[in-house]
Amino acid sequence: MSIQQTTIQALGELFSDQASAENGAEKEAETGGEVDKSDQPRQNGIIEQDYRTKGFHLDVKISADQLVRASQILFELGYFLESITGVDWIKEEQLETDYDFSRYDFDLCRVVIRVRTPRTDPHLPTITTVYTGANWHEREAHDFFGIIFDGHPHLIPLLLPEDADFHPLLKDFKA
Amino acid sequence: MGGYFSDLFSGTKSLLDGMWVTLKEFPKRPVTLSYPHESLKMYARYRGHIELIGDEENKPNCVVCGMCERACPSGCIHLAGEKPEGGKKKVLTSYTLDFTTCSLCGSCVESCNFDAIRFSNEYNLASTRKEDFIIDLLKRLEEQDK
Amino acid sequence: MSQPIELQKDETFVLNVGPQHPATHGVLRVKMTMDGEYIYKAETVLGYIHRMHEKMAENRTYPQYMPNMGRLDYLSAMAFNHGYALVVERACGIEVPERAEYIRVITVELNRISSHLVWLGAYVLDLGGFTPLMYCFDDREQILDLLESVTGSRLTYCYFRFGGLYNDIDDEFITGTRAFIIRMRKELKMYAKLVTGNIILMKRLQGHGIIDKDMCQRYGATGPVARGSGLNYDVRKNEPYSVYPELDFDIPVNDGCDSYARYLVRMEEMEQSLRIIEQALDKLPEGPVNPEKKPKLIKPPSGDYYAAVETARGNFGIRLVSDGGKNAYRLKLRSPTYSNMHLFDEACRGMLLADALAFMGSLDLVIPEMDR
Amino acid sequence: MSLTLLNVVLAVFIAICFVGANAAYLVWCERKGAGFYQRRPGPMENGWWGLLQPPIDGVKLMTKQLLIPGGVDKAIFMVAPVLAMFPALISFVTIPFSDNIVAHPIDVGVLVIFAFAALGGMSLLVAGWGSRNKYSMISSVRAVSQTVAYEIPLLITTITIVMISGSLNLGDIVQQQLDGFLSWNVWPLHKEVGFNLLMPVSFLILFVCSVAETNRAPFDLGEAESELVAGFHTEYSSMGFGLFFMGEYANIVIGSCLITILFLGGWSCPFGDLGIFPFTHNVGWFLLKIYLIIFVFIWIRWTFPRTTIYGLLNLSWKYLIPISLFNLLLTAGLLKVF
């Protein structure tokens, strides 16, 4: 079984109560982009992406409370955390946080985990308990987007000045 | 204890090896240039700041399309032109390069379809005044061929 | 800072290493809580040259953002340009001519050697040896001359274009590169004698700065740091891009986990890069260096794209979120040293100051890339 | 009596001049040497081959402002550079440059030199402590443990020489090595001891120790510029720094003088007394020998990376001290036998 299938199966535990998980994952056509975001919000679940056009294999959307569990699953499967970043979807009043995972071995599989939080009150659990290296990435996301990682040991500005109270990567930020 | 003397000898040998390497360098000629007295020739593709290309009469080739101005990532090119009475083509009246923000990326030269700008070979740019880096390229072109 | 700040013991004092310190090579600051000369805790303070490159991407068109990539990592600017070109090409579906791919590989590998040479010189300088720095810079100068003759620039090349290159290489470059390979092989033997085998250096590096596989995974360390911990991970092999699959080269891996292992990995990598360049020069096909159909305006279709390349310091990833416009909606730069430096705090506890700085040097930090 | 005093004063004055000129031009030599080892020419701009660089540097140092950091103990801060320079100067009094050029031949010359060399370590302690700077503090702690570690093998090795020569007088020690270079103490052949295989080893030990004593690379832990910025002299500017600098170079000269006298036959001609003017025993040979040793010092400095404090202590306590002790025992045994 390829690592991609193993990962889908392992992550499937998160969606056991949802229809999409019963089939393992919903598959997309090779050419397919994402579900048009403006019309209907994407459901939580796993999408297999075409690596050649997208650059990653699995696109997982989960809710905030599943985050720690999901990262635990990936940690146990031997994934390492590449980066944590935000995307400000200002039209939908939502902040997306993307977690990029990759592997050290030759079973190539890049996993992206997306979590969406309301823009006004972005709270996420920290995954520093699983990936120690998430510390700086979360601090950076906090700097740039104002996402608050609950339980983070040291959530102070990292790249911005110590007294920064602005979040420059928000779309409504004007310098 | 077995490693005691072998450590001592291999260590000393490695030190002597290193000293032999530097000693061999000692009598060699220096590879550096004493810069203000001698200097290198710049490569043909060297990317200095931009300059205008003139035709035989030393008039700029520029047709004031403004592509370079738009291509510039840091907005350091400002040009203006006007249509002379009776003339068809626009004539360049001013072309200033704000070299303080220029990152020498060359996007402007690439975007030019009229062979009007190129890179100069200027590398001796140093000054204590900011104004020295706001370069009037039109004036530069006029002075160049005199 | 993996644990909350504890109350300081009475015997400790805080030593500010940086923002201006000879061993931090740039404006990095490490607040070290010291117990005598032993490090009790080290908190890294970043952001002294933070320039918000990611926001700049949102305000510039795709071609306009290309020069920015060279400003991230001034030592291996070519690889960063490559990563950015890859992600945009992937997003827009631009095909790159084969000759351009080979030239990209040649220039990136040359740049990798030059980056490793700066690391080697600066690292030995950190350890107190001055002379290797000058030899390294002499060799690096040869590479810079070669690259300047092609790209017109010595440091921030901005040589790649979407789908191709800024311009083609000439015969002079090819003969120059071949001559350089011969010279560099000789010089590498010299470095092995002068630096690698030196007992003082070995005693300082062996057994210090231990990073094990688990720590690599928890922090996401990549590049020579991961390879020095026995992880066979190199984007060029694990996730082949460009024409790397057609070239025969090895990924040096060392199980030592210490500073010396990372040192050896980098030294070996230079030799492998020479091998790659040699093969690429042999295989270099004729043809154009830019695609025939090049889109006038770069507008990737909306969606997420990811591309990763192996820079001299590790895995550099770019996440591009496009909304179909001519500016990126969001561009995330995942820089390798950011993750590599993060494990410094955990790994350096209990070390002597001198060893910790030797360890920091073995991570090969480039501060502008960390701060972005 | 008063003539002796005058003699000493004159000698100190000459020593100051000698040390000053040496310090200045050793810096030039060091920079030139560094340049040649590093594929570059070194200072070239001031004067022919940069020969005017040292006086210009001196003028620069003297005209700069002497900054005293806030909150330091001023007396201690100011006395440290003097402490670095003074013992080095005094040591010159007893060094015989030739059989008649010696300021004041003291019968316990070896002891005098070591006594003042130990003071040099103290200047680092005082400077580091008085600077009120954490880097300087660490540096001074390092410097003290370094001095302690290297005084011991240095002294033990010297005792072997003293045993062979039967004298603590530097001049007398040289007098016994005048029969060509085979009679020098560095060789295992010796007319009294017979065959002491460890003599070259003790020469090496003395050499390593004097590198360590002078705080030079690879043992420059006191100033370790990539770790401790500049160590004990981080806070010193102007002539405060200048004195440390000169003290360091004076120490190098003393170290090489000591090596030359103890092991390389001092002012003796390597071919024995030939009686022809340029080749006979004279001060020229002495200077040639000390500058050769200084050349090796420079060579070593620009080749090796720095050790760490534990590496240095390991070298001293694990290798140098046992070997020098063994050497002492062997020499004593051989002396007893023959």
Side-chain angles (χ1 to χ4, degrees), chain C residues 14 37 126-127 131 135 138, chain D residues 37 134 142 226 302 306:
Chain C
V14 175
E37 218 181 316
D126 278 355
L127 301 174
T131 302
Y135 298 166
D138 184 17
Chain D
Y37 286 123
K134 288 167 190 166
R142 282 182 179 187
S226 57
W302 297 108
R306 184 183 307 117

Side-chain angles (χ1 to χ4, degrees), chain A residues 23-68:
Chain A
N23 309 327
E26 59 178 270
K27 306 238 172 176
E28 285 239 341
E30 280 241 324
T31 50
E34 281 170 42
V35 185
D36 197 358
K37 288 194 188 78
S38 53
D39 289 337
Q40 62 208 53
R42 192 184 134 190
Q43 293 302 309
N44 288 356
I46 307 170
I47 302 177
E48 279 186 76
Q49 298 279 10
D50 176 24
Y51 172 73
R52 268 187 317 108
T53 56
K54 287 294 203 178
F56 51 93
H57 298 86
L58 293 182
D59 188 340
V60 185
K61 192 182 172 195
I62 55 174
S63 58
D65 53 334
Q66 293 169 322
L67 186 58
V68 178

Side-chain angles (χ1 to χ4, degrees), chain C residues 1-35:
Chain C
M1 279 316 306
S2 47
Q3 272 112 49
I5 291 190
E6 301 153 39
L7 278 178
Q8 283 175 15
K9 290 196 293 178
D10 277 342
E11 305 90 67
T12 61
F13 63 96
V14 175
L15 186 72
N16 250 314
V17 179
Q20 292 294 327
H21 186 276
T24 54
H25 301 292
V27 278
L28 173 74
R29 175 172 162 221
V30 185
K31 255 162 74 179
M32 287 182 180
T33 309
M34 314 270 296
D35 184 0

Side-chain angles (χ1 to χ4, degrees), chain C residues 19 32 47 52 83 87 131 204 219 319 354:
Chain C
M32 287 182 180
M52 203 73 256
V87 75
T131 302
R204 285 203 65 175
Y219 282 98
R319 156 171 293 283

